[in-house]
Amino acid sequence: MARTINEIELSIRNRLSASFDLSTSAAAEWRMWTHCVAYCIHLFEIVLDHFKEEMDADVQREVAGSLTWYNEQCYEFQLGHELVFSTVTGRLGYESEDENSKIVKIASVDTADDGTLMFRVATMDDNGNIIPLTSGQMLNFIDYVNSIKFAGTKSQVISTNADLVKYAVKVWYNPATPVDVIRTGVEDSLAKFRVAQRFGGVIYRHKMMEAVTSVSGVVTAKILSLYRRGTEDAEWQEIDIVSNLYAGYFDYDQESCSLELLSINDLE
């Protein structure tokens, strides 16, 4: 982790003091040069920190067989393209990259109790709506999974209608911002939150709160209730902290959602 400029500067001063008799003047030239060198070292250490973060992220993605790796492979699927074996990487892949053929837009991979890999995927229609794969797309994706997964690994692919989420949210806003602007901003932010997670599969209560409070003009908010129901659920399930999505993605049950807007002056 990068040290602060003061920490680096103090380290240099201590080493210099051990070897030389230095002026104690606050305006001494050596102090200026020490600060300049410390500043440069600080910037270099920040660069190293960012480089390490990027490398760690790449390593995590490149570990073949990890859940993160399988999740990334879902987005690499190209409908209508043939997989070929690379003698360089020792893996199956495509000869060329065709973004238009990458139909998987939402993916989540986890393991069932018996160790089966569960792939939950969805695509997007021309209007930007997230929808299940068609039967033909599903068959091709299953063949793709069977080709890239490790030998002996059990897998199951799920692509079904979205889980439904309903909420009751109370928002206090700055009255300097028109209430219609606040409502539109909150609704747009919640819509982005619905499709923001590349790895999908879960919904976090606190992240939904962050989506609401990030809107300009919103002072604070409270989630009064939050529930989800998948196609396999008979009843609504409360989301206290986090909940796994059966479909891997969700839609809002608009008729059951409630958004109440109050001026911060009415906060008691």
Side-chain angles (χ1 to χ4, degrees), residues 60-79:
Q60 180 64 23
R61 286 194 296 267
E62 292 299 325
V63 177
S66 67
L67 293 181
T68 304
W69 181 82
Y70 277 118
N71 206 109
E72 289 290 342
Q73 298 311 300
C74 292
Y75 292 105
E76 295 301 317
F77 169 63
Q78 295 184 180
L79 184 66

Side-chain angles (χ1 to χ4, degrees), residues 113-130:
D113 293 338
D114 63 354
T116 299
L117 281 175
M118 305 296 295
F119 291 81
R120 307 173 196 274
V121 293
T123 187
M124 191 175 289
D125 64 17
D126 294 336
N127 296 320
N129 300 311
I130 300 175

Side-chain angles (χ1 to χ4, degrees), residues 119-184:
F119 291 81
R120 307 173 196 274
V121 293
T123 187
M124 191 175 289
D125 64 17
D126 294 336
N127 296 320
N129 300 311
I130 300 175
I131 57 175
L133 302 184
T134 65
S135 58
Q137 292 171 339
M138 183 77 159
L139 179 59
N140 280 275
F141 183 76
I142 291 175
D143 290 341
Y144 170 77
V145 169
N146 288 334
S147 297
I148 66 169
K149 70 181 184 181
F150 283 22
T153 303
K154 295 188 296 181
S155 63
Q156 181 180 348
V157 177
I158 296 173
S159 188
T160 185
N161 292 327
D163 289 27
L164 292 178
V165 168
K166 65 177 182 177
Y167 60 80
V169 177
K170 183 179 288 189
V171 173
W172 287 268
Y173 64 93
N174 187 330
T177 305
V179 64
D180 290 342
V181 173
I182 296 293
R183 182 178 296 277
T184 299

Side-chain angles (χ1 to χ4, degrees), residues 201-220:
V202 294
I203 177 172
Y204 292 95
R205 189 183 182 103
H206 80 279
K207 289 189 177 181
M208 185 174 186
M209 172 66 82
E210 290 174 355
V212 174
T213 55
S214 66
V215 176
S216 178
V218 171
V219 179
T220 188

Side-chain angles (χ1 to χ4, degrees), residues 7 44 56 83 90 99 117 133 183 206 246 249 260 266:
E7 289 173 338
F44 179 67
D56 288 345
L83 284 169
E99 291 295 334
L117 281 175
L133 302 184
R183 182 178 296 277
H206 80 279
Y246 179 74
Y249 68 107
E260 183 180 0
D266 297 327

